[in-house]
Coordinates of all heavy atoms in Angstrom, one line a residue:
M267 N 36.1 77.4 49.7 CA 35.1 76.3 49.6 C 35.7 75.1 50.3 O 36.9 74.6 50.0 CB 35.0 76.0 48.0 CG 33.9 75.1 47.7 SD 33.5 75.3 45.9 CE 33.7 73.7 45.4
P268 N 34.8 74.3 51.0 CA 35.3 73.2 51.8 C 35.7 71.9 50.9 O 35.0 71.8 49.8 CB 34.2 72.8 52.8 CG 33.0 73.4 52.1 CD 33.4 74.6 51.3
R269 N 36.7 71.2 51.3 CA 37.1 70.0 50.5 C 36.1 68.9 50.8 O 35.8 68.6 52.0 CB 38.4 69.6 50.8 CG 39.4 70.7 50.3 CD 40.8 70.3 50.6 NE 41.6 71.3 50.0 CZ 43.0 71.1 49.9 NH1 43.6 70.0 50.4 NH2 43.8 72.0 49.4
R270 N 35.7 68.1 49.8 CA 34.8 66.9 50.0 C 35.6 65.8 50.6 O 36.8 65.6 50.3 CB 34.3 66.4 48.7 CG 33.2 67.4 48.0 CD 32.6 66.8 46.8 NE 33.7 66.6 45.8 CZ 33.5 66.0 44.6 NH1 32.4 65.4 44.4 NH2 34.4 66.0 43.7
I271 N 34.9 65.1 51.5 CA 35.4 64.0 52.2 C 34.5 62.8 51.9 O 33.3 62.9 52.2 CB 35.6 64.2 53.7 CG1 36.7 65.2 54.0 CG2 36.0 62.9 54.4 CD1 36.8 65.7 55.4
L272 N 35.0 61.7 51.4 CA 34.2 60.5 51.1 C 34.8 59.3 51.7 O 36.0 59.2 52.1 CB 34.2 60.3 49.6 CG 33.6 61.5 48.7 CD1 33.7 61.2 47.3 CD2 32.1 61.6 49.0
I273 N 34.0 58.3 51.9 CA 34.3 57.0 52.4 C 34.2 55.9 51.3 O 33.1 55.8 50.9 CB 33.6 56.6 53.7 CG1 34.0 57.6 54.8 CG2 34.0 55.2 54.2 CD1 33.4 57.4 56.1
G274 N 35.2 55.1 51.1 CA 35.1 54.0 50.0 C 36.0 52.8 50.4 O 36.6 52.8 51.5
V275 N 36.1 51.9 49.5 CA 36.8 50.7 49.7 C 37.9 50.6 48.7 O 37.7 50.9 47.5 CB 35.8 49.4 49.5 CG1 36.6 48.2 49.6 CG2 34.7 49.5 50.5
V276 N 39.1 50.3 49.2 CA 40.3 50.1 48.4 C 40.2 48.9 47.5 O 39.9 47.8 48.0 CB 41.5 50.1 49.2 CG1 42.8 49.8 48.3 CG2 41.7 51.3 50.0
T277 N 40.3 49.0 46.2 CA 40.1 47.9 45.3 C 41.5 47.5 44.6 O 41.6 46.4 44.1 CB 39.1 48.1 44.1 OG1 39.4 49.3 43.5 CG2 37.7 48.3 44.8
S278 N 42.5 48.4 44.7 CA 43.8 48.1 44.1 C 44.9 48.8 44.9 O 44.7 50.0 45.2 CB 43.8 48.5 42.7 OG 45.1 48.2 42.1
D279 N 46.0 48.1 45.2 CA 47.1 48.7 45.9 C 48.4 48.4 45.1 O 49.4 48.3 45.7 CB 47.2 48.3 47.3 CG 47.3 46.9 47.6 OD1 47.2 46.2 46.6 OD2 47.5 46.5 48.7
K280 N 48.3 48.1 43.9 CA 49.5 47.7 43.1 C 50.6 48.7 42.8 O 51.7 48.5 42.7 CB 49.0 47.0 41.7 CG 48.2 45.8 41.9 CD 47.8 45.1 40.7 CE 46.9 44.0 40.8 NZ 47.5 42.9 41.7
T281 N 50.0 50.0 42.7 CA 51.0 51.1 42.4 C 51.5 51.7 43.7 O 50.8 51.7 44.7 CB 50.4 52.2 41.6 OG1 49.2 52.7 42.2 CG2 50.0 51.6 40.2
A282 N 52.7 52.2 43.7 CA 53.3 52.8 44.9 C 52.7 54.1 45.3 O 52.6 54.9 44.4 CB 54.9 53.0 44.7
K283 N 52.3 54.2 46.4 CA 51.7 55.5 47.0 C 50.3 55.8 46.4 O 49.9 57.0 46.5 CB 52.6 56.6 47.0 CG 53.9 56.4 47.8 CD 54.8 57.6 47.8 CE 56.0 57.4 48.7 NZ 56.8 58.6 48.8
T284 N 49.8 55.0 45.6 CA 48.4 55.3 45.0 C 47.5 54.1 45.3 O 47.8 52.9 45.3 CB 48.5 55.4 43.5 OG1 49.6 56.4 43.3 CG2 47.3 55.8 42.8
R285 N 46.2 54.5 45.6 CA 45.2 53.5 45.9 C 44.0 53.8 45.0 O 43.6 55.0 44.8 CB 44.7 53.5 47.4 CG 45.8 53.2 48.4 CD 46.3 51.8 48.2 NE 47.4 51.5 49.2 CZ 48.7 51.5 48.7 NH1 49.0 51.8 47.5 NH2 49.6 51.1 49.6
R286 N 43.4 52.7 44.5 CA 42.1 52.9 43.7 C 41.0 52.6 44.6 O 40.9 51.5 45.2 CB 42.1 51.8 42.6 CG 40.9 51.9 41.7 CD 41.1 50.9 40.6 NE 40.1 51.0 39.6 CZ 38.9 50.3 39.6 NH1 38.6 49.5 40.6 NH2 38.0 50.5 38.7
V287 N 40.2 53.6 44.8 CA 39.1 53.5 45.9 C 37.8 53.6 45.1 O 37.6 54.5 44.3 CB 39.2 54.8 46.8 CG1 38.0 54.7 47.8 CG2 40.5 54.8 47.6
E288 N 36.9 52.6 45.4 CA 35.5 52.7 44.9 C 34.5 53.2 45.9 O 34.5 52.7 47.0 CB 35.1 51.3 44.4 CG 35.8 50.9 43.1 CD 35.2 49.5 42.6 OE1 34.3 49.0 43.2 OE2 35.8 49.1 41.6
I289 N 33.7 54.1 45.5 CA 32.6 54.7 46.4 C 31.3 54.3 45.8 O 31.0 54.6 44.6 CB 32.8 56.2 46.5 CG1 34.0 56.6 47.1 CG2 31.6 56.8 47.3 CD1 34.8 57.7 46.5
E290 N 30.5 53.5 46.5 CA 29.3 52.9 46.0 C 28.1 53.8 46.4 O 28.1 54.3 47.6 CB 29.1 51.5 46.5 CG 28.0 50.7 45.7 CD 28.0 49.3 46.0 OE1 28.9 48.6 45.4 OE2 27.2 48.9 46.9
R291 N 27.1 54.0 45.6 CA 26.0 54.7 46.0 C 24.8 54.1 45.4 O 24.8 53.3 44.3 CB 26.1 56.2 45.6 CG 26.1 56.4 44.1 CD 26.5 57.8 43.7 NE 26.3 58.1 42.3 CZ 27.0 57.8 41.3 NH1 28.2 57.1 41.6 NH2 26.8 58.1 40.0
L292 N 23.6 54.4 45.8 CA 22.3 53.9 45.3 C 21.5 55.0 44.7 O 21.4 56.1 45.2 CB 21.5 53.3 46.4 CG 22.1 52.1 47.2 CD1 21.2 51.7 48.4 CD2 22.3 50.9 46.2
V293 N 21.0 54.8 43.5 CA 20.3 55.8 42.7 C 19.1 55.2 42.1 O 19.0 54.0 41.9 CB 21.2 56.5 41.6 CG1 22.2 57.3 42.1 CG2 21.6 55.4 40.6
R294 N 18.0 56.0 42.0 CA 16.8 55.5 41.4 C 16.7 55.7 39.9 O 17.1 56.9 39.5 CB 15.7 56.2 42.0 CG 14.2 55.7 41.7 CD 13.1 56.3 42.5 NE 13.1 56.1 43.9 CZ 12.6 55.0 44.5 NH1 12.1 54.1 43.7 NH2 12.7 54.9 45.7
H295 N 16.4 54.7 39.1 CA 16.3 54.9 37.7 C 15.2 55.9 37.3 O 14.1 55.8 38.0 CB 16.0 53.5 37.0 CG 16.1 53.5 35.6 ND1 15.2 54.0 34.7 CD2 17.2 53.1 34.7 CE1 15.5 53.9 33.5 NE2 16.8 53.3 33.5
P296 N 15.5 56.8 36.5 CA 14.5 57.9 36.2 C 13.1 57.3 35.6 O 12.1 57.9 35.9 CB 15.2 58.8 35.2 CG 16.4 58.1 34.8 CD 16.7 57.0 35.7
R297 N 13.2 56.3 34.8 CA 11.9 55.9 34.2 C 11.3 54.7 35.0 O 10.2 54.6 35.2 CB 12.2 55.4 32.7 CG 11.0 54.7 32.2 CD 11.2 54.4 30.7 NE 10.8 55.6 29.9 CZ 11.1 55.8 28.6 NH1 11.7 54.8 28.0 NH2 10.9 56.9 28.0
Y298 N 12.1 53.7 35.4 CA 11.6 52.5 35.9 C 11.6 52.4 37.4 O 11.1 51.5 38.0 CB 12.4 51.3 35.4 CG 12.4 51.2 33.8 CD1 13.5 51.3 33.2 CD2 11.2 51.0 33.2 CE1 13.5 51.4 31.7 CE2 11.1 50.9 31.9 CZ 12.4 51.1 31.1 OH 12.3 51.1 29.7
S299 N 12.1 53.4 38.0 CA 12.1 53.7 39.6 C 12.8 52.5 40.3 O 12.5 52.3 41.5 CB 10.7 53.8 40.1 OG 10.2 55.1 39.4
K300 N 13.6 51.7 39.6 CA 14.3 50.6 40.3 C 15.6 51.2 40.9 O 16.2 52.1 40.4 CB 14.7 49.5 39.4 CG 15.4 48.4 39.9 CD 15.8 47.3 39.0 CE 16.6 46.2 39.6 NZ 17.0 45.1 38.7
I301 N 15.9 50.8 42.1 CA 17.1 51.2 42.8 C 18.3 50.5 42.2 O 18.3 49.3 42.1 CB 17.1 50.9 44.3 CG1 15.9 51.6 44.9 CG2 18.3 51.4 45.0 CD1 15.9 53.1 44.9
I302 N 19.3 51.2 41.7 CA 20.4 50.7 41.1 C 21.7 51.0 41.9 O 21.8 52.1 42.3 CB 20.6 51.3 39.6 CG1 19.4 51.0 38.7 CG2 21.9 50.7 38.9 CD1 19.3 51.8 37.5
R303 N 22.7 50.2 41.9 CA 24.0 50.4 42.5 C 24.9 51.0 41.5 O 25.1 50.4 40.4 CB 24.6 49.1 43.1 CG 23.9 48.5 44.2 CD 24.7 47.2 44.6 NE 23.9 46.5 45.6 CZ 24.2 46.5 46.9 NH1 25.3 47.0 47.3 NH2 23.4 45.8 47.7
K304 N 25.5 52.2 41.8 CA 26.5 52.8 41.0 C 27.7 53.0 41.7 O 27.7 53.1 42.9 CB 26.0 54.1 40.4 CG 24.8 54.0 39.5 CD 24.9 55.0 38.4 CE 23.9 54.7 37.3 NZ 24.3 55.3 36.1
K305 N 28.8 53.0 41.1 CA 30.1 53.2 41.8 C 31.0 54.3 41.1 O 30.9 54.5 39.9 CB 30.9 52.0 42.0 CG 31.4 51.4 40.6 CD 32.1 50.1 40.8 CE 32.4 49.5 39.5 NZ 32.9 48.1 39.6
T306 N 31.6 55.1 41.9 CA 32.6 56.0 41.5 C 34.0 55.6 41.8 O 34.3 55.1 42.9 CB 32.3 57.3 42.1 OG1 31.0 57.7 41.9 CG2 33.3 58.5 41.7
V307 N 34.9 55.6 40.8 CA 36.3 55.2 41.1 C 37.2 56.4 41.3 O 37.1 57.4 40.4 CB 36.8 54.3 39.9 CG1 38.3 54.0 40.1 CG2 36.0 53.1 39.8
C308 N 37.9 56.5 42.4 CA 38.8 57.6 42.6 C 40.2 57.1 42.8 O 40.4 55.9 43.4 CB 38.5 58.4 43.9 SG 36.8 59.0 43.8
H309 N 41.2 57.8 42.4 CA 42.7 57.4 42.7 C 43.1 58.3 43.8 O 43.1 59.5 43.7 CB 43.4 57.4 41.4 CG 43.2 56.4 40.5 ND1 42.1 56.4 39.6 CD2 43.9 55.2 40.2 CE1 42.1 55.3 38.9 NE2 43.2 54.6 39.2
A310 N 43.6 57.7 44.9 CA 44.0 58.5 46.1 C 45.5 58.4 46.4 O 46.0 57.3 46.2 CB 43.1 58.1 47.2
H311 N 46.1 59.4 46.9 CA 47.5 59.4 47.2 C 47.6 58.9 48.7 O 47.0 59.4 49.6 CB 48.1 60.8 47.1 CG 49.5 60.8 47.5 ND1 50.5 60.3 46.7 CD2 50.2 61.4 48.5 CE1 51.7 60.5 47.1 NE2 51.5 61.2 48.3
D312 N 48.3 57.8 48.9 CA 48.7 57.2 50.1 C 50.2 57.2 50.4 O 50.9 56.4 50.0 CB 48.1 55.7 50.2 CG 48.2 55.0 51.5 OD1 48.7 55.7 52.5 OD2 48.0 53.8 51.6
E313 N 50.5 58.3 51.1 CA 52.0 58.6 51.3 C 52.7 57.5 51.9 O 53.8 57.1 51.6 CB 52.1 59.8 52.1 CG 53.5 60.4 52.3 CD 54.2 60.7 51.0 OE1 53.6 61.3 50.1 OE2 55.5 60.5 50.9
N314 N 52.2 56.8 53.0 CA 52.9 55.9 53.7 C 52.5 54.4 53.4 O 52.9 53.5 54.1 CB 52.6 56.1 55.2 CG 53.0 57.4 55.7 OD1 54.0 57.9 55.2 ND2 52.2 58.1 56.6
N315 N 51.8 54.2 52.4 CA 51.3 52.8 51.9 C 50.7 52.0 53.1 O 51.0 51.0 53.3 CB 52.5 52.1 51.4 CG 52.9 52.6 50.0 OD1 52.1 53.0 49.2 ND2 54.3 52.6 49.8
E316 N 49.8 52.8 53.8 CA 49.2 52.1 55.0 C 48.0 51.3 54.7 O 47.5 50.5 55.5 CB 48.9 53.2 56.1 CG 48.0 54.3 55.6 CD 48.1 55.5 56.5 OE1 49.2 55.8 57.1 OE2 47.0 56.1 56.6
S317 N 47.3 51.5 53.6 CA 46.1 50.8 53.2 C 46.3 49.6 52.3 O 47.3 49.6 51.6 CB 45.0 51.7 52.7 OG 45.5 52.3 51.4
R318 N 45.4 48.6 52.5 CA 45.6 47.4 51.6 C 44.2 47.2 51.0 O 43.2 47.8 51.3 CB 45.9 46.2 52.5 CG 47.2 46.3 53.2 CD 48.3 46.1 52.0 NE 49.7 46.4 52.6 CZ 50.4 47.4 52.0 NH1 50.0 48.1 51.1 NH2 51.6 47.6 52.6
V319 N 44.1 46.2 50.1 CA 42.9 45.9 49.3 C 41.8 45.4 50.3 O 42.0 44.7 51.2 CB 43.1 44.8 48.3 CG1 41.9 44.3 47.7 CG2 44.1 45.2 47.2
G320 N 40.6 45.9 50.1 CA 39.5 45.6 51.1 C 39.3 46.5 52.2 O 38.3 46.5 52.9
D321 N 40.3 47.5 52.5 CA 40.2 48.4 53.6 C 39.2 49.5 53.3 O 39.0 49.9 52.2 CB 41.5 49.0 53.9 CG 42.5 48.1 54.5 OD1 42.2 46.9 54.8 OD2 43.7 48.6 54.6
K322 N 38.4 49.9 54.2 CA 37.5 51.1 54.2 C 38.3 52.3 54.6 O 38.8 52.3 55.6 CB 36.3 50.9 55.1 CG 35.2 51.9 54.8 CD 34.0 51.8 55.8 CE 33.1 50.7 55.2 NZ 31.9 50.7 55.9
V323 N 38.4 53.3 53.6 CA 39.2 54.4 53.9 C 38.4 55.7 53.7 O 37.4 55.8 53.0 CB 40.4 54.4 52.9 CG1 41.4 53.3 53.2 CG2 40.0 54.4 51.5
E324 N 38.9 56.8 54.3 CA 38.4 58.1 54.2 C 39.3 58.9 53.2 O 40.6 59.0 53.6 CB 38.3 58.7 55.5 CG 37.5 60.0 55.6 CD 37.3 60.5 57.1 OE1 38.2 60.7 57.7 OE2 36.1 60.7 57.4
I325 N 38.8 59.5 52.2 CA 39.7 60.3 51.3 C 39.1 61.7 51.2 O 37.9 62.0 51.4 CB 39.8 59.7 49.9 CG1 38.4 59.5 49.3 CG2 40.5 58.3 49.9 CD1 38.4 59.0 47.9
E326 N 40.1 62.6 50.9 CA 39.7 64.1 50.8 C 40.2 64.6 49.5 O 41.2 64.3 49.0 CB 40.5 64.8 52.0 CG 40.2 66.3 52.0 CD 41.1 67.0 53.0 OE1 42.3 66.6 53.1 OE2 40.5 67.9 53.7
E327 N 39.3 65.4 48.9 CA 39.6 66.1 47.6 C 40.8 66.9 47.7 O 41.1 67.6 48.7 CB 38.3 67.0 47.3 CG 38.3 67.4 45.9 CD 37.0 68.1 45.6 OE1 36.5 68.8 46.4 OE2 36.6 68.0 44.4
S328 N 41.7 67.0 46.8 CA 42.9 67.8 46.7 C 43.1 68.4 45.3 O 42.4 68.1 44.4 CB 44.1 67.0 47.2 OG 44.4 66.1 46.3
R329 N 44.2 69.1 45.2 CA 44.7 69.6 43.9 C 45.1 68.4 43.0 O 45.4 67.3 43.6 CB 45.8 70.6 44.1 CG 47.1 69.9 44.6 CD 48.2 70.9 44.7 NE 49.4 70.4 45.3 CZ 50.2 69.6 44.7 NH1 50.1 69.3 43.4 NH2 51.3 69.1 45.4
P330 N 45.1 68.5 41.7 CA 45.7 67.4 40.9 C 47.1 67.1 41.2 O 48.0 67.9 41.2 CB 45.6 68.0 39.5 CG 44.5 69.1 39.6 CD 44.6 69.6 40.9
L331 N 47.3 65.8 41.5 CA 48.7 65.3 41.9 C 49.3 64.6 40.8 O 50.5 64.5 40.6 CB 48.5 64.3 43.1 CG 48.0 65.0 44.4 CD1 47.7 63.9 45.4 CD2 48.9 66.0 45.0
S332 N 48.4 64.1 39.8 CA 49.0 63.4 38.6 C 47.8 63.4 37.7 O 46.8 64.1 37.8 CB 49.5 62.0 38.9 OG 48.4 61.1 39.3
K333 N 48.0 62.6 36.5 CA 46.9 62.5 35.6 C 45.6 62.1 36.1 O 44.5 62.6 35.8 CB 47.4 61.6 34.4 CG 46.3 61.4 33.3 CD 46.9 60.5 32.2 CE 45.9 60.2 31.2 NZ 46.4 59.2 30.2
L334 N 45.6 61.1 37.1 CA 44.4 60.5 37.7 C 44.2 60.9 39.1 O 43.0 60.9 39.5 CB 44.4 58.9 37.5 CG 44.4 58.4 36.1 CD1 44.5 56.9 36.2 CD2 43.1 58.7 35.4
K335 N 45.2 61.2 39.9 CA 45.0 61.4 41.3 C 44.5 62.7 41.6 O 45.2 63.7 41.2 CB 46.4 61.1 42.0 CG 46.8 59.7 42.2 CD 47.8 59.5 43.2 CE 49.2 59.9 42.9 NZ 50.1 59.4 43.9
R336 N 43.4 62.8 42.2 CA 42.8 64.1 42.7 C 42.3 64.0 44.2 O 41.6 64.9 44.6 CB 41.5 64.4 41.9 CG 41.7 64.5 40.4 CD 42.6 65.7 40.0 NE 42.6 65.9 38.6 CZ 43.5 65.5 37.8 NH1 44.5 64.7 38.2 NH2 43.5 65.7 36.5
W337 N 42.8 63.0 44.9 CA 42.3 62.7 46.3 C 43.5 62.3 47.2 O 44.5 61.7 46.6 CB 41.3 61.6 46.3 CG 40.0 61.9 45.5 CD1 39.8 61.7 44.2 CD2 38.8 62.4 46.1 NE1 38.6 62.1 43.8 CE2 38.0 62.6 45.0 CE3 38.4 62.8 47.3 CZ2 36.7 63.1 45.1 CZ3 37.1 63.3 47.5 CH2 36.3 63.5 46.4
N338 N 43.4 62.7 48.4 CA 44.4 62.2 49.4 C 43.7 61.3 50.4 O 42.6 61.5 50.8 CB 45.0 63.5 50.2 CG 46.0 64.2 49.4 OD1 46.8 63.5 48.7 ND2 46.1 65.5 49.5
L339 N 44.5 60.3 50.8 CA 44.0 59.4 51.9 C 44.1 60.0 53.3 O 45.3 60.5 53.6 CB 44.8 58.1 51.8 CG 44.2 57.0 52.8 CD1 43.8 55.7 52.0 CD2 45.3 56.6 53.8
I340 N 43.1 60.1 54.0 CA 43.2 60.7 55.3 C 43.5 59.7 56.4 O 44.4 59.8 57.1 CB 41.8 61.5 55.7 CG1 41.6 62.6 54.7 CG2 41.9 62.0 57.1 CD1 40.2 63.2 54.9
R341 N 42.7 58.6 56.4 CA 42.8 57.5 57.4 C 42.2 56.2 56.9 O 41.3 56.3 56.1 CB 42.3 58.0 58.7 CG 40.8 58.2 58.8 CD 40.3 58.7 60.0 NE 38.8 58.9 60.0 CZ 38.0 58.1 60.6 NH1 38.4 57.0 61.3 NH2 36.6 58.3 60.5
V342 N 42.6 55.2 57.6 CA 42.0 53.9 57.3 C 40.9 53.7 58.4 O 41.1 53.7 59.6 CB 43.0 52.7 57.4 CG1 42.3 51.4 57.2 CG2 44.1 52.9 56.4
V343 N 39.6 53.8 57.9 CA 38.5 53.6 58.8 C 38.4 52.3 59.4 O 38.2 52.0 60.6 CB 37.2 54.0 58.1 CG1 36.0 53.9 59.0 CG2 37.2 55.4 57.6
E344 N 38.5 51.3 58.6 CA 38.4 49.8 59.0 C 39.2 48.9 58.1 O 39.2 49.0 56.9 CB 36.9 49.4 58.8 CG 36.5 48.1 59.2 CD 35.0 47.8 58.9 OE1 34.1 48.6 59.2 OE2 34.7 46.7 58.4
K345 N 40.0 48.0 58.8 CA 40.9 47.2 58.1 C 40.0 46.0 57.5 O 39.0 45.6 58.0 CB 42.0 46.6 59.1 CG 43.1 47.6 59.4 CD 44.0 47.6 58.2 CE 45.2 48.4 58.6 NZ 46.1 48.5 57.4
S346 N 40.6 45.5 56.4 CA 39.9 44.3 55.8 C 40.0 43.1 56.7 O 41.0 42.8 57.3 CB 40.7 44.0 54.5 OG 40.2 42.8 54.0
K347 N 38.9 42.3 56.7 CA 38.8 41.2 57.6 C 39.6 40.0 57.1 O 40.2 39.2 57.8 CB 37.4 40.8 57.8 CG 36.5 42.0 58.3 CD 35.5 41.6 59.3 CE 34.6 42.7 59.9 NZ 35.0 44.0 59.5
S348 N 39.7 39.9 55.8 CA 40.5 38.7 55.2 C 42.0 38.8 55.5 O 42.6 37.9 55.7 CB 40.3 38.7 53.7 OG 40.7 39.9 53.0
V349 N 42.5 40.1 55.6 CA 43.9 40.3 55.8 C 44.2 39.9 57.3 O 45.1 39.3 57.6 CB 44.3 41.7 55.5 CG1 45.8 41.9 56.0 CG2 44.2 41.9 54.1
E350 N 43.3 40.3 58.2 CA 43.5 39.9 59.6 C 43.5 38.4 59.9 O 44.3 38.0 60.7 CB 42.4 40.7 60.5 CG 42.6 42.1 60.5 CD 41.4 42.8 61.2 OE1 40.5 42.1 61.7 OE2 41.4 44.1 61.2
S351 N 42.6 37.8 59.2 CA 42.4 36.3 59.5 C 43.6 35.6 58.9 O 44.2 34.6 59.6 CB 41.2 35.8 58.8 OG 41.3 35.9 57.4
V352 N 44.3 36.0 57.8 CA 45.5 35.3 57.3 C 46.7 35.6 58.3 O 47.4 34.8 58.5 CB 45.7 35.9 55.9 CG1 47.1 35.5 55.4 CG2 44.7 35.4 54.9
A353 N 46.7 36.9 58.9 CA 47.8 37.2 59.8 C 47.7 36.3 61.1 O 48.7 36.0 61.7 CB 47.8 38.6 60.0
N354 N 46.4 36.1 61.5 CA 46.3 35.4 62.7 C 46.5 33.9 62.6 O 47.0 33.2 63.5 CB 44.8 35.6 63.3 CG 44.5 36.9 63.8 OD1 45.5 37.7 64.1 ND2 43.3 37.4 63.7
D355 N 46.3 33.4 61.4 CA 46.6 31.9 61.1 C 48.0 31.6 61.1 O 48.5 30.5 61.4 CB 45.9 31.5 59.8 CG 44.5 31.6 60.0 OD1 43.9 31.5 61.1 OD2 43.8 31.5 58.9
A356 N 48.8 32.5 60.7 CA 50.3 32.3 60.5 C 51.1 32.2 61.8 O 50.7 32.4 62.9 CB 50.9 33.4 59.7

């Protein structure tokens, strides 16, 4: 069975080698038919600590690595714009 690959945004990088990634999706309410934003929170293993808050990352499903971690970080798709502007100003 192939492993799922998802793209999300890093919302926390406070723990070592772990990133909290939010994946946002749009769903239609069953009764009122209004489009609602929902998010899924995944904890991903980032071996080299290469991602930061606000980065768009690609994660892949894996075996359980800890109590919460079930995903591996594959690559950083897009760096956060706020981090780049701070680095350029200095």
